[in-house]
Amino acid sequence: MIRLLLTIVLLGALTKGVSAQQTTLTVTNPSDYQRQEVVEADLQTVSNRLGLNAGQTFVIKNGFGQEQAYQLSYDGKLLMYVSVQPHSKAVFTIEKGQPAAMKSYVYGRLFPERADDMTWENDLGIYRMYGPALQRSGEKSFGTDVWTKSTPELVLEKRYKMHLWGVGQRDSLKRAGKSKEANEIYLATSFHHDHGEGMDVYSVGPSLGCGAPALMKNGELVYPYCFKDYKILDNGPLRFTVELTYHPNNDGATEHRLVSLDRGSHYNKITVWYDAMKQKTAWATGVVLNGEGKLALGKDYVLYADPTDNPKVNQSQIYVGTLFPNGVDETTRLNGNKNHALGIVRHYNGKPYTYYFGSAWSSNDVKTMAEWQLLADNYLNNIKNPLITDIK
């Protein structure tokens, strides 16, 4: 009997020890359709449940016991990419341990070798905002650039390296009077041409491009120029986040942007705010209208089928859009030197405002404008009805 009691006590102690080393993360999908996206859970709660000390790590496993990639964000979130069936739950186990190396699906950095571009990517697209060196050059490029992708692999470093090498070779051959060879090198290396995984054929120039914000004065856009300072806050494996600060405008207001892009998302999340705004004014964002692509305006979205910078040769479309889950006063078309489709807030006070901008390519996974519309509708619904995380 004493031996039996000792066995029970020991089993209880072991069970208690195991439970203290382990917790459960449940992700619930409230939607009528399949969801694949990055979810957020509170990192402090996980740490408290596991009794983690500073510097201690943990491992996340699915129902089969397979290890799952995750990320700790700059703002105290545990990020994980999940797939959950309609009205279903996915259950994961979290326990102390050393995680395996994780593949990254997002990446970005400042590219001083190309006029201080701030460029970032995920498995579906690439985005670029222009930096101080470009502003010093006097080139008028204000908005957000889009590069297409047809591969889930990270390609930024390769594209820049190949493009800049090719430009150098082209220029050297031209100086030597070898124009034919120069053009062949450029065609084979430039990121303005598709080499099997996408290209840069979206026109920005003096416009908002895809989703850059702007104040308005007398019914006209007051374009920001290039960012002044930057800070990369997250850089994979599942989310890229950067904070950008701009020069004060003529009225003394300073613009700030916080931009993040997740694995598997066609849309970036952006929060914009302004310091030292003296009075309320109209504010807008949207997309530049290059050519005669199909345009769709809704109460909380602007969607456009951009024809690329050379429609006759490229024969593809770049689908771009801005989403406004927090609402705007109107969506409309604004004609000018560069035509735009915009969402406008009429009496903006400079406080943080969050919206989304993004893109897809007809030569990748979104083939038609109808698909782009459906994707936008689902994305807005996902924002309003997020996946639910519960830690037990």
Side-chain angles (χ1 to χ4, degrees):
M1 178 63 71
I2 293 174
R3 183 176 296 176
L4 178 60
L5 288 172
L6 286 172
T7 302
I8 293 171
V9 170
L10 286 170
L11 284 173
L14 286 171
T15 303
K16 184 178 179 182
V18 169
S19 64
Q21 300 295 314
Q22 191 177 88
T23 190
T24 299
L25 171 63
T26 301
V27 183
T28 302
N29 177 7
S31 310
D32 294 327
Y33 50 86
Q34 179 77 27
R35 300 275 289 268
Q36 291 86 217
E37 60 200 73
V38 172
V39 295
E40 299 178 349
D42 183 63
L43 180 59
Q44 189 60 54
T45 301
V46 174
S47 182
N48 291 343
R49 296 286 168 81
L50 292 179
L52 293 177
N53 297 318
Q56 282 190 298
T57 57
F58 56 87
V59 173
I60 302 178
K61 296 180 179 179
N62 65 14
F64 291 111
Q66 294 173 300
E67 190 171 338
Q68 305 294 291
Y70 66 87
Q71 179 177 336
L72 310 182
S73 71
Y74 82 97
D75 54 349
K77 300 292 193 302
L78 167 62
L79 309 178
M80 190 167 67
Y81 184 80
V82 299
S83 176
V84 192
Q85 291 184 340
H87 297 293
S88 186
K89 296 180 179 181
V91 181
F92 303 89
T93 300
I94 309 177
E95 58 189 33
K96 291 180 180 179
Q98 182 63 43
M102 303 178 195
K103 178 180 178 178
S104 191
Y105 294 86
V106 300
Y107 173 75
R109 73 170 175 90
L110 184 78
F111 286 85
E113 62 268 43
R114 218 308 303 187
D116 290 341
D117 291 348
M118 173 56 66
T119 313
W120 65 96
E121 66 178 315
N122 69 354
D123 46 323
L124 297 174
I126 300 175
Y127 302 88
R128 170 168 63 164
M129 291 181 177
Y130 300 108
L134 189 77
Q135 182 162 334
R136 289 193 297 269
S137 76
E139 181 180 337
K140 303 297 184 183
S141 289
F142 304 144
T144 308
D145 194 16
V146 171
W147 294 5
T148 66
K149 280 185 75 171
S150 57
T151 173
E153 301 304 317
L154 300 177
V155 297
L156 265 187
E157 292 289 353
K158 181 179 74 172
R159 281 200 197 180
Y160 270 105
K161 183 176 181 180
M162 187 167 70
H163 175 84
L164 294 172
W165 178 85
V167 168
Q169 294 296 307
R170 178 199 64 184
D171 293 347
S172 178
L173 288 166
K174 279 188 173 181
R175 286 192 295 270
K178 300 179 179 180
S179 296
K180 182 176 181 295
E181 293 88 342
N183 290 334
E184 288 174 349
I185 283 284
Y186 186 75
L187 188 64
T189 58
S190 171
F191 54 47
H192 294 295
H193 300 287
D194 185 14
H195 306 294
E197 33 92 306
M199 54 188 167
D200 171 21
V201 287
Y202 182 68
S203 295
V204 179
S207 78
L208 297 182
C210 176
L215 299 173
M216 299 187 75
K217 188 176 256 187
N218 300 320
E220 297 295 326
L221 294 168
V222 180
Y223 293 108
Y225 210 153
C226 301
F227 65 84
K228 176 177 176 286
D229 299 304
Y230 77 96
K231 183 186 295 184
I232 293 176
L233 304 174
D234 293 314
N235 208 350
L238 302 176
R239 175 175 293 171
F240 174 84
T241 306
V242 63
E243 183 176 343
L244 303 168
T245 301
Y246 287 73
H247 295 273
N249 64 18
N250 291 336
D251 293 325
T254 300
E255 178 182 309
H256 303 270
R257 303 178 192 175
L258 183 67
V259 186
S260 63
L261 180 64
D262 288 353
R263 174 190 175 184
S265 177
H266 284 284
Y267 282 93
N268 296 262
K269 179 180 180 180
I270 177 170
T271 299
V272 61
W273 68 98
Y274 297 79
D275 295 335
M277 274 188 60
K278 297 180 176 65
Q279 60 186 11
K280 291 182 180 180
T281 187
W283 172 94
T285 187
V287 298
V288 63
L289 302 178
N290 295 312
E292 299 299 325
K294 187 172 183 179
L295 173 65
L297 298 176
K299 64 180 179 60
D300 51 5
Y301 63 81
V302 170
L303 306 175
Y304 179 62
D306 190 279
T308 80
D309 60 5
N310 194 336
K312 291 183 179 179
V313 176
N314 291 324
Q315 291 295 321
S316 64
Q317 294 181 316
I318 304 172
Y319 303 112
V320 292
T322 49
L323 308 178
F324 310 107
N326 297 313
V328 288
D329 292 314
E330 66 173 319
T331 56
T332 187
R333 179 178 176 130
L334 180 67
N335 294 329
N337 292 332
K338 285 277 194 176
N339 298 331
H340 287 83
L342 302 173
I344 299 175
V345 177
R346 294 195 189 94
H347 304 289
Y348 176 63
N349 60 7
K351 301 299 182 184
Y353 178 83
T354 299
Y355 64 99
Y356 296 77
F357 68 90
S359 67
W361 189 30
S362 63
S363 293
N364 193 24
D365 62 331
V366 178
K367 306 299 184 185
T368 67
M369 184 66 170
E371 290 181 35
W372 186 231
Q373 177 75 66
L374 179 61
L375 191 148
D377 292 341
N378 284 347
Y379 202 93
L380 281 164
N381 187 67
N382 293 350
I383 295 168
K384 296 170 185 175
N385 300 280
L387 296 177
I388 302 163
T389 59
D390 184 32
I391 301 168
K392 293 184 179 179

